[in-house]
Amino acid sequence: MTRKALLTALFLLAVSNLLLHYRIHNFMVKDALDPGIMHFNATKFLAFLFPLIDVVVVTLLFMSGKTSVYGYLLNGLIVIYGTVFMSHFSIAELTARSAPAADWIIKSTLPDIGIAWGDFFIGKALYDISMNGP
């Protein structure tokens, strides 16, 4: 039962992150000159692609004990890349605006990074259960 609950939590976090990234980084962008025309933005698509891989591939890999090691590895890579990218985005954005010190915590991507690491530790618990049993 613990394994199913952890797998459900991992899936729900991944889907929530996917929807959040789609809302923030929508890869179909309106044209500046003609708002009726939409353009594909490859950079924003990458911000959507990582959570999509998390939802589909990582969840499928964790569903089997034999492939959970690959799910753990891929989940860890996604979290590390996400941490680096989100940290860079926050630092670049907040330094460009000369934001006050409080904004560095409240308006940064620090909460999003915390959620990503929570996702990682759920994956670690699933991996541990797969290797050692409940």
Side-chain angles (χ1 to χ4, degrees):
M1 184 62 186
T2 302
R3 190 176 183 322
K4 287 182 183 179
L6 287 171
L7 191 59
T8 302
L10 187 80
F11 176 75
L12 290 174
L13 274 173
V15 167
S16 298
N17 282 329
L18 178 68
L19 295 173
L20 182 66
H21 276 82
Y22 181 72
R23 185 178 66 192
I24 294 170
H25 306 289
N26 191 342
F27 53 86
M28 294 305 293
V29 183
K30 291 182 181 181
D31 186 54
L33 297 175
D34 186 3
I37 298 174
M38 302 293 276
H39 294 286
F40 177 76
N41 184 321
T43 303
K44 290 185 177 186
F45 181 72
L46 288 175
F48 176 78
L49 186 61
F50 283 126
L52 182 64
I53 291 170
D54 193 13
V55 170
V56 178
V57 179
V58 171
T59 303
L60 286 174
L61 289 171
F62 271 119
M63 289 178 90
S64 169
K66 293 178 183 178
T67 59
S68 65
V69 65
Y70 301 111
Y72 182 48
L73 177 67
L74 185 57
N75 194 32
L77 287 172
I78 289 171
V79 169
I80 291 167
Y81 279 128
T83 300
V84 170
F85 291 150
M86 288 187 286
S87 298
H88 176 267
F89 174 77
S90 279
I91 292 168
E93 184 73 21
L94 293 170
T95 54
R97 292 187 294 149
S98 299
D103 284 0
W104 281 83
I105 295 173
I106 305 295
K107 294 184 179 177
S108 72
T109 56
L110 192 60
D112 304 286
I113 292 169
I115 292 169
W117 280 98
D119 179 78
F120 170 77
F121 286 113
I122 290 173
K124 183 188 180 331
L126 273 169
Y127 171 74
D128 289 344
I129 287 173
S130 296
M131 293 298 114
N132 304 324

